[in-house]
Amino acid sequence: MTLPQNTITADLSLAVIAAMTRAADAEIMPRWRSLAAAEIRTKSHEWDLVTDADVEAERLLTVALRDLLDVTVVGEEATAANPSLLDEVGTGEPCWVVDPVDGTRNFVEGKETFACMVALIDGGRTQAAWITYPTTGSELHAARGVGAFLDGAPHRAPEPPAPDALRGAVATTVGATTDDYVLARAGTLGPAVPIRFCAGWDYLDVVIGETDYVSFTRTLPWDHAPGALIASEAGLLAARFDGSEYLPGDGRSGILTAHPSVWQRVSDGLAR
């Protein structure tokens, strides 16, 4: 099955954003800074948290998205319960990918930096993407070949203002262990900070020019299919470190997003 060319319309995009907003209003924001201990659990590692907000928001989104387009929904929490669901992303068949609360640890800690993310995959590539920011009411979305939009208006990412002093955000931890060497390598390019542990906010930062690049090691599809397409449609390059295309179902690690004018410089600098 391949989606018809006219599937991704403005009306569909508005409907997805509305569904994400409803899920956040019903299940996420009422629990923000009000979580009970019983609503917080760990998954595979002690640093990998899940809350009732994640589970219930994904449940609502799964129903809403299938009402809009009846294809498989690959949710982060559903995949935690059934890991084989992740295989659907790489089949070439259309599917929704959902991260109901991106940045769950930030959410648990009462920080504002969490997001809700949805992507539509078809033919192994991300075709449309949406990120909403419940604490600010902002949103990003994009469709392949159409462009990126910030709060409903077309948006292009700026070029780095100082190409010889690039501001970066880099993945510096594996689990709870900090890799200072990675941060030191990034420091040779200019000021560098660790990622926010919310890919939705990290991609927002680079798309609006708060940072000049962002790099990640783990690249699960619900974390990166939305942001990578939005960044690409905003004029940035989001690619594997060897320069190849990011495909959300290929199971590979590592992705770097930066303006094309500095992407190779950053890639070379981080590889030193």
Side-chain angles (χ1 to χ4, degrees), residues 58 61-62 65-66 71-80 82-91 93-100 117-121 220-223 225-226 248-249:
E58 183 173 301
L61 274 172
T62 297
L65 293 173
R66 294 202 71 164
V71 297
T72 300
V73 178
V74 181
E76 179 179 6
E77 307 315 328
T79 304
N82 177 17
S84 66
L85 190 59
L86 183 59
D87 297 338
E88 296 290 329
V89 180
T91 64
E93 293 294 308
C95 66
W96 296 103
V97 171
V98 175
D99 191 343
M117 305 205 292
V118 171
L120 181 59
I121 314 293
L220 291 164
W222 43 78
D223 287 329

Side-chain angles (χ1 to χ4, degrees), residues 129-192:
W130 300 264
I131 305 177
T132 60
Y133 302 89
T135 60
T136 66
S138 191
E139 60 87 10
L140 278 170
H141 69 274
R144 183 173 294 276
V146 175
F149 299 82
L150 173 61
D151 295 332
H155 181 80
R156 296 287 290 179
E159 288 196 48
D164 295 323
L166 299 172
R167 304 157 300 160
V170 294
T172 59
T173 64
V174 179
T177 303
T178 300
D179 186 349
D180 292 326
Y181 179 61
V182 174
L183 198 57
R185 282 185 299 179
T188 65
L189 298 165

